[in-house]
């Protein structure tokens, strides 16, 4: 019986190969998209799962009155381990991203930017295992340094052992050397991706609770009440901060501080203190993948039901001959399974072809054909699922025909299943409309982000990668003069941060009795001039005022608003043990991009609690850019001895442009999704219109004989489809509005919703429907009525 059903299935598929190609092609394209999305979802949600302690590791963060952060101070980890027996281990890490370090061996050199410092306990918690095993450093001073396998091979080509090696740091004339203890595999599928690791028994020694520059990790015992532990750590942290404190305002402020525990599983996609945009994009991408597959299944179902009349007599005869409905259902499901199986094979070919572009877009290295890929068990399940979802109803419809009706020829005039067929078509176009509206809105938001005034100018500014610190203006002044002597260099400055979206440090500052937290950026002269930041009130730092290097500060508009300042220039704001005199108000500028609101920020030249000033920025005339860069490269060994021959730079506008990366990814995804959904919907509409038109050939012939014009017939055929498309637009409009509003709400600075995208999407779908249906109707309209009626 199975052999007979298989033969019948193959014969029917071949006889209707046009519809079969549409079914298989649409389903294959949708499945290919689904395969890529499923692989990406699995990759993104499995970060650090190779860690055996994965489910018991937490980040300890702190909550201040006006911000939340993962940065804590070194003593906290030790205090937690000593006071709470449910904590098996506690350690701290610090990741350097502020400068690139040149490491050299002979003529070979690498430039490391992500050097992870970790104490021995943190290395154990995070499963950081160098090749040969994790060794405990001897004593308090020793640091065991490891480089990634790739960097080791670059420095020591052909190296086969794991013995320690001597290297030099910085320029060849720096004289700074060190020992690399061995190699370590850099797990890029981890939140702790690095160029190298430095492990010590203890790091941050001597730094008090005021130095919040580290990340604290704890490993708890299975079954620990995490909420209770979180509360106990908060009480411990407050108690540590209150030791020796007598000032009542400070005591009240400390009592408002708390801590939180964030699972390691949250860190990649949705940390409690951080941006959850990657998670939202992953969810959006996953929903798109599922919707595209659903649309393809709907297409499949619709076309199968549309062909019902062609199989009606076959079913009627088989039932008269004694076939049971179950047998017929199995037969039709077999046909559908064969189509789905072919579609799955074709989908894998499509997915493999598209994978390089997908990997490049999302900066990942996914592969279909590897042993650990979950697709090998997921795809068979998906295949069975889509066979059932797309095929069960058509199979039941086809197997349920009544022999007496279909053999008398009455089925063709029946309205059976038309409501479902039309409803599925409306659903298809509703999804397509949502994607079109979404694409238009994403394009508009990105256009707005690229064209909106940032409040500063990154154009013609280069960021020089430098490892020397210039905390004192007199140390940077000789370098500034040498750089300004190069033709084309208009200004030069150095700071702790560049406006590239990265977070600044924060500290508590008091103004007229108000204690609030402000971001701080430590700068040098010409910082605001180099970035073309506008002055709202007062002045910027100037060499003519000697006190500017001691206790002058510039604040931005947001900081003034936070304190409710009126005429703040000349007034005092205190922080980090210094009474700063406010000399100017800078206009707000979007240093963190468009997703985050401009942070209240204070700028100063001297800050005992600040970071090292290593970020050198130069403003260069556009016409002289090439010559100036060449001169800087050739003269850099004399300009900055510590960097020597290692002159490296980035254009600040390109660096800032990386903040748009996630939204550009979303734009590309929506563009592809919109094309796919429209394509699949049009494929279904094309085949469906062909079926409907062929079924009305005699009606059209009669109308033409009775005097109907071609335009009237076109209008007749198109009208029902246009109604369905209009209904789809009406249904999808509110849904698209809600989804787009939720997306736009993730931006602090965004466009406003307008009716234009909804109108454009309606016009696009109506136009495509008219073209698709009219192409099919054209043959019937131009046919000779005699050919359709000569057998009647």
């Amino acid at each position: 019986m199975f052999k007979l059903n298989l033969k019948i299935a193959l014969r029917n598929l071949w006889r209707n190969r046009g519809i079969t190609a549409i079914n298989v092609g649409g389903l294959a394209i949708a499945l290919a998209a689904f395969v890529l999305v499923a692989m990406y979802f699995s990759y993104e949600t499995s970060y650090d799962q190779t860690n055996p302690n994965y489910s018991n590791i937490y980040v300890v963060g702190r909550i201040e009155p006006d911000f939340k952060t993962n940065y804590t101070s070194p003593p906290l980890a030790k205090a937690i381990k000593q006071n709470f027996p449910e904590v098996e281990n506690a350690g701290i890490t610090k990741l350097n991203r502020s400068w690139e370090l040149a490491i050299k061996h002979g003529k070979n050199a690498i430039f490391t930017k992500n050097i992870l410092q970790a104490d021995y306990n943190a290395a154990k918690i995070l499963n950081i295992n160098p090749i040969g095993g994790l060794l405990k450093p001897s004593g308090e001073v020793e640091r065991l340094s490891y480089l990634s396998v790739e960097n080791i091979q670059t420095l020591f080509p052909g190296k086969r052992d794991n013995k320690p090696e001597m290297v030099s740091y910085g320029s060849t004339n720096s004289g700074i050397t060190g020992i690399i203890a061995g190699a370590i595999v850099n797990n890029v599928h981890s939140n702790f991706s690095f160029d190298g690791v430095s492990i010590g028994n203890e790091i941050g020694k001597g730094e008090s609770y005021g130095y919040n520059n580290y990340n604290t990790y704890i490993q708890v015992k299975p079954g620990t009440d995490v909420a209770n532990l979180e509360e106990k750590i908060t009480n411990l942290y407050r108690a540590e901060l209150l030791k020796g404190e007598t000032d009542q305002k400070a005591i009240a402020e400390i009592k408002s501080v708390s801590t939180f525990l964030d699972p390691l599983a949250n860190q990649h996609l949705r940390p409690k203190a951080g941006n959850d945009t990657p998670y939202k994009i992953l969810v959006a991408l996953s929903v798109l993948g599922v919707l595209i597959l659903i649309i393809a299944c709907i297409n499949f179902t619709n076309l199968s039901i549309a062909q019902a009349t062609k199989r009606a007599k076959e079913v009627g005869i088989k039932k008269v001959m004694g076939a049971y409905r179950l047998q017929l259902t199995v037969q039709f499901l077999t046909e559908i399974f064969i189509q789905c199986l072919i579609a799955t094979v074709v989908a894998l070919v499509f997915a493999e072809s598209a994978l390089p572009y997908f990997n490049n877009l999302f900066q990942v290295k996914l592969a279909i054909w590897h042993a650990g890929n979950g697709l090998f068990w997921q795809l068979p399940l998906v295949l069975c699922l889509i066979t059932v979802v797309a095929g069960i109803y058509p199979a039941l419809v086809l197997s349920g025909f009544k022999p007496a009706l279909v053999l008398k020829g009455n089925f063709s005039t029946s309205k059976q299943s038309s409501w479902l067929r039309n409803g599925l078509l409306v659903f298809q176009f509703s999804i397509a409309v949502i994607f079109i509206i979404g694409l238009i809105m994403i394009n508009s938001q990105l256009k707005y982000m690229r064209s909106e005034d940032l409040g500063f100018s990154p154009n013609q500014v280069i960021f020089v990668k430098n490892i020397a610190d210039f905390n004192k203006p007199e140390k940077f002044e000789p370098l500034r003069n040498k750089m300004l002597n190069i033709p084309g260099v208009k200004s030069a400055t150095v700071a702790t941060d560049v406006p590239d979206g990265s977070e600044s440090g924060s500290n508590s500052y008091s103004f007229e009795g108000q204690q609030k937290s402000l971001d701080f950026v430590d700068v040098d002269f010409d910082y605001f001039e180099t970035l073309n930041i506008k002055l709202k009130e007062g002045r910027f730092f100037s060499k003519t005022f000697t006190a500017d290097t001691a206790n002058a500060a510039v604040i931005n508009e947001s900081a003034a608003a936070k304190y409710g300042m009126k005429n703040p220039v000349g007034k005092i704001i205190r922080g980090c043990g210094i009474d700063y005199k406010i000399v100017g108000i800078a206009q707000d500028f979007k240093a963190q991009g468009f997703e985050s609101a401009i942070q209240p920020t204070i700028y100063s030249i001297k800050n005992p609690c600040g970071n090292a000033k290593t970020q050198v920025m130069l403003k260069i005339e556009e016409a002289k850019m090439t010559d100036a860069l060449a001169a800087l490269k050739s003269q850099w060994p004399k300009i900055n001895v510590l960097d020597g021959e290692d002159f490296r730079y980035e254009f600040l506008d390109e660096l800032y442009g990386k903040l748009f990366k996630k939204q550009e990814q979303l734009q590309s995804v929506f563009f592809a999704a919109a094309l796919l959904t429209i394509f699949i919907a049009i494929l279904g509409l094309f085949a469906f219109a062909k079926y409907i038109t062929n079924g009305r050939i005699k009606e059209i012939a009669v109308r033409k004989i009775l005097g109907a014009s071609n335009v009237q017939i076109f209008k007749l055929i198109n009208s029902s489809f246009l109604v369905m498309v209009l209904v789809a637009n009406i249904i999808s409009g509110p849904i698209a509005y809600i989804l787009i509003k939720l997306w736009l709400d993730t931006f602090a600075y965004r466009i406003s919703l307008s009716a234009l995208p909804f109108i454009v999407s309606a016009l696009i779908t109506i136009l495509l429907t008219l073209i698709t249906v009219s192409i099919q109707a054209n043959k019937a309209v131009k046919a000779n009525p005699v050919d359709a009626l000569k057998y009647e």
Side-chain angles (χ1 to χ4, degrees):
M1 190 68 179
F2 175 77
K3 187 176 180 181
L4 177 62
N5 284 339
L6 184 62
K7 284 183 178 179
I8 293 172
L10 293 174
R11 185 189 67 207
N12 277 308
L13 293 176
W14 178 252
R15 190 170 61 188
N16 300 289
R17 50 188 174 273
I19 298 295
T20 300
I22 290 174
N23 261 353
V24 171
L27 195 56
I29 292 171
L31 265 174
F34 181 80
V35 164
L36 293 176
V37 170
M39 290 171 60
Y40 184 65
F41 182 88
S42 177
Y43 179 85
E44 288 291 294
T45 55
S46 58
Y47 265 60
D48 286 310
Q49 287 191 6
T50 55
N51 190 324
N53 307 313
Y54 176 76
S55 58
N56 295 318
I57 296 174
Y58 293 84
V59 178
V60 182
R62 58 193 176 92
I63 304 173
E64 300 285 342
D66 34 21
F67 70 93
K68 183 184 290 187
T69 178
N70 280 346
Y71 289 105
T72 51
S73 45
L76 182 59
K78 186 181 290 186
I80 291 172
K81 180 67 174 66
Q82 289 174 347
N83 285 275
F84 306 119
E86 61 265 50
V87 177
E88 288 189 355
N89 207 349
I92 61 173
T93 67
K94 185 178 183 181
L95 183 62
N96 168 59
R97 287 197 178 101
S98 60
W99 41 262
E100 287 188 359
L101 177 64
I103 303 178
K104 300 176 181 178
H105 180 262
K107 295 182 179 180
N108 301 320
I110 60 170
F111 298 96
T112 61
K113 186 173 183 180
N114 298 324
I115 298 294
L116 180 68
Q117 298 180 53
D119 63 21
Y120 179 71
N121 291 330
K124 287 200 298 182
I125 293 170
L126 302 177
N127 198 34
I128 296 173
N129 280 313
I131 294 174
L134 179 62
L135 301 176
K136 188 178 177 68
S138 59
E140 296 181 352
V141 178
E142 184 184 20
R143 296 286 186 272
L144 297 179
S145 299
Y146 302 89
L147 291 177
S148 66
V149 173
E150 296 80 6
N151 283 332
I152 288 289
Q153 288 301 316
T154 302
L155 285 176
F156 311 100
K159 181 177 172 64
R160 294 290 179 267
D161 58 49
N162 199 40
K163 294 180 180 178
E165 298 282 355
M166 181 72 73
V167 296
S168 63
Y169 297 102
S171 70
T172 52
N173 300 322
S174 68
I176 304 173
T177 60
I179 295 176
I180 301 299
I184 186 169
V185 176
N186 180 17
N187 181 11
V188 295
H189 197 197
S190 169
N191 292 291
F192 310 99
S193 185
F194 42 73
D195 300 320
V197 180
S198 175
I199 300 174
N201 271 331
E202 187 177 353
I203 63 174
K205 189 174 181 180
E207 296 184 40
S208 67
Y209 279 94
Y211 292 87
N212 295 300
N213 298 317
Y214 296 81
N215 297 120
T216 301
Y217 296 91
I218 63 172
Q219 179 185 337
V220 302
K221 295 177 180 178
T224 297
D225 185 341
V226 176
N228 179 255
L229 177 61
E230 190 175 67
E231 185 178 347
K232 291 195 292 186
I233 291 175
T234 292
N235 293 332
L236 171 69
Y237 184 56
R238 289 173 180 170
E240 292 291 322
L241 294 178
L242 286 170
K243 285 181 179 178
E245 185 62 64
T246 57
D247 183 75
Q248 292 303 311
K249 287 185 178 179
I251 291 172
E253 183 183 352
I254 289 170
K255 288 182 178 179
S256 67
V257 174
S258 61
T259 64
F260 64 88
L261 297 180
D262 199 12
L264 180 60
N266 286 358
Q267 298 310 300
H268 179 59
L269 292 173
R270 43 177 179 174
K272 289 183 179 179
N275 193 341
D276 64 349
T277 299
Y279 173 73
K280 291 175 181 175
I281 289 179
L282 181 64
V283 170
L285 189 62
S286 303
V287 171
L288 294 183
V290 172
L291 284 177
I292 289 171
L293 189 59
I294 290 173
I295 288 174
C297 289
I298 288 172
N299 215 39
F300 197 105
T301 302
N302 234 348
L303 293 178
S304 298
I305 295 174
Q307 291 192 91
T309 54
K310 291 186 177 182
R311 308 292 297 275
K313 289 185 179 180
E314 174 193 339
V315 172
I317 292 171
K318 283 186 175 180
K319 281 194 170 185
V320 169
M321 298 295 291
Y324 292 105
R325 185 174 187 180
L326 178 61
Q327 293 173 313
L328 294 170
T329 302
V330 171
Q331 176 195 330
F332 294 127
L333 280 176
T334 302
E335 293 182 23
I336 290 164
F337 177 78
I338 291 171
Q339 294 180 73
C340 292
L341 181 61
I342 296 170
T344 302
V345 174
V346 176
L348 288 174
V349 176
F350 287 168
E352 183 68 29
S353 302
L355 195 57
Y357 304 98
F358 189 88
N359 284 341
N360 182 59
L361 176 64
F362 289 97
Q363 298 297 299
V364 292
K365 295 181 180 179
L366 303 180
I368 294 176
W369 310 108
H370 71 87
N373 197 336
L375 284 175
F376 291 112
W377 63 266
Q378 292 169 355
L379 266 185
L381 289 178
V382 172
L383 174 60
C384 295
L385 182 64
I386 60 176
T387 299
V388 172
V389 170
I392 192 67
Y393 188 79
L396 291 174
V397 169
L398 290 167
S399 64
F401 292 159
K402 294 179 180 179
L405 289 176
V406 296
L407 292 178
K408 282 198 288 185
N410 291 338
F411 181 79
S412 60
T413 59
S414 172
K415 300 298 182 182
Q416 182 177 357
S417 300
S418 63
W419 65 270
L420 177 64
R421 196 168 59 231
N422 295 341
L424 293 177
L425 195 62
V426 168
F427 182 82
Q428 270 186 310
F429 271 92
S430 296
I431 301 301
V433 168
I434 290 173
F435 285 165
I436 293 170
I437 294 172
L439 178 61
I440 294 171
M441 292 302 297
I442 290 170
N443 288 341
S444 299
Q445 176 66 17
L446 273 172
K447 183 179 179 181
Y448 164 78
M449 290 163 64
R450 293 190 183 110
S451 60
E452 179 68 4
D453 181 19
L454 302 175
F456 75 104
S457 176
N459 300 324
Q460 280 76 62
V461 177
I462 66 165
F463 158 52
V464 182
K465 299 178 179 180
N466 153 69
I467 63 173
D469 67 85
F470 301 101
N471 282 357
K472 296 181 178 180
E474 58 268 24
K475 186 178 179 182
F476 183 69
E477 193 61 24
L479 274 76
R480 186 203 311 274
N481 293 333
K482 291 176 184 176
M483 291 185 284
L484 290 176
N485 285 332
I486 295 173
V489 178
K490 298 168 65 177
S491 64
T493 191
V494 66
T496 54
D497 300 274
V498 296
D500 62 351
S502 56
E503 294 182 6
S504 306
S506 60
N507 206 348
S508 180
Y509 292 84
S510 61
F511 177 80
E512 295 182 348
Q514 299 181 70
Q515 194 87 14
K516 296 184 182 294
S517 178
L518 296 180
D519 281 10
F520 62 81
V521 178
D522 305 335
V523 302
D524 204 281
F525 296 111
D526 296 335
Y527 172 83
F528 299 99
E529 292 81 358
T530 300
L531 295 175
N532 197 27
I533 297 169
K534 296 177 177 61
L535 178 67
K536 183 179 181 183
E537 189 178 341
R539 63 175 177 83
F540 290 138
F541 301 118
S542 172
K543 296 174 189 175
T544 58
F545 296 90
T546 55
D548 282 4
T549 60
N551 65 346
V554 173
I555 60 174
N556 66 358
E557 293 176 280
S558 293
K562 187 170 187 176
Y563 287 96
M565 295 179 179
K566 295 180 180 179
N567 303 317
V569 174
K571 295 182 179 179
I572 302 298
I573 184 170
R574 182 173 178 79
C576 206
I578 294 180
D579 288 333
Y580 290 103
K581 181 180 179 181
I582 299 172
V583 297
I585 310 294
Q587 285 191 5
D588 283 343
F589 64 97
K590 300 177 180 67
Q592 278 83 32
F594 286 75
E595 293 176 22
S596 302
I598 295 170
Q599 297 301 306
T601 307
I602 183 170
Y603 303 87
S604 61
I605 293 177
K606 181 181 179 180
N607 183 5
C609 300
N611 302 315
K613 296 181 194 175
T614 60
Q615 317 292 332
V616 176
M617 289 174 282
L618 306 176
K619 184 83 169 181
I620 302 176
E621 293 179 33
E622 185 176 6
K624 298 180 180 179
M625 180 67 74
T626 303
D627 293 339
L629 290 174
L632 283 165
K633 182 175 177 61
S634 64
Q635 297 179 32
W636 199 247
K638 295 179 182 179
I639 294 174
N640 191 348
V641 178
L642 192 59
D643 271 336
E645 66 276 11
D646 302 319
F647 177 71
R648 303 171 316 287
Y649 66 91
E650 284 187 67
F651 288 100
L652 188 57
D653 56 352
E654 293 179 0
L655 197 61
Y656 190 84
K658 292 178 181 178
L659 296 178
F660 304 157
K661 183 69 177 176
K662 288 295 180 185
Q663 306 309 327
E664 288 170 347
Q665 288 176 343
L666 193 60
Q667 179 191 38
S668 300
V669 168
F670 256 82
F671 180 74
L675 286 182
L676 282 177
T677 52
I678 292 170
F679 177 71
I680 293 171
I682 293 301
L683 273 182
L685 182 64
F686 186 83
F688 190 42
K690 181 178 181 180
Y691 161 74
I692 293 295
T693 305
N694 289 341
R696 302 179 71 174
I697 285 178
K698 291 179 181 178
E699 176 193 344
I700 292 169
V702 171
R703 288 179 181 273
K704 287 186 72 175
I705 290 172
L706 294 174
S709 67
N710 290 350
V711 173
Q712 288 175 319
I713 294 173
F714 273 121
K715 183 180 178 182
L716 173 72
I717 297 173
N718 275 291
S719 59
S720 61
F721 291 101
L722 286 175
V723 169
M724 287 187 280
V725 172
L726 287 172
V727 171
N729 276 275
I730 292 169
I731 292 172
S732 60
I735 299 171
Y737 177 86
I738 293 169
L739 294 176
I740 293 299
K741 189 175 186 306
L742 288 173
W743 176 70
L744 286 175
D745 285 344
T746 63
F747 294 91
Y749 309 98
R750 57 185 180 268
I751 59 173
S752 57
L753 269 168
S754 67
L756 183 61
F758 299 87
I759 296 171
V760 170
S761 67
L763 292 175
I764 289 173
T765 50
I766 289 171
L767 181 61
L768 289 173
T769 301
L770 285 172
I771 293 171
T772 305
V773 175
S774 296
I775 289 172
Q776 279 301 315
N778 187 53
K779 185 186 293 187
V781 169
K782 289 186 176 181
N784 190 339
V786 175
D787 294 332
L789 298 174
K790 63 183 177 181
Y791 296 111
E792 293 298 317

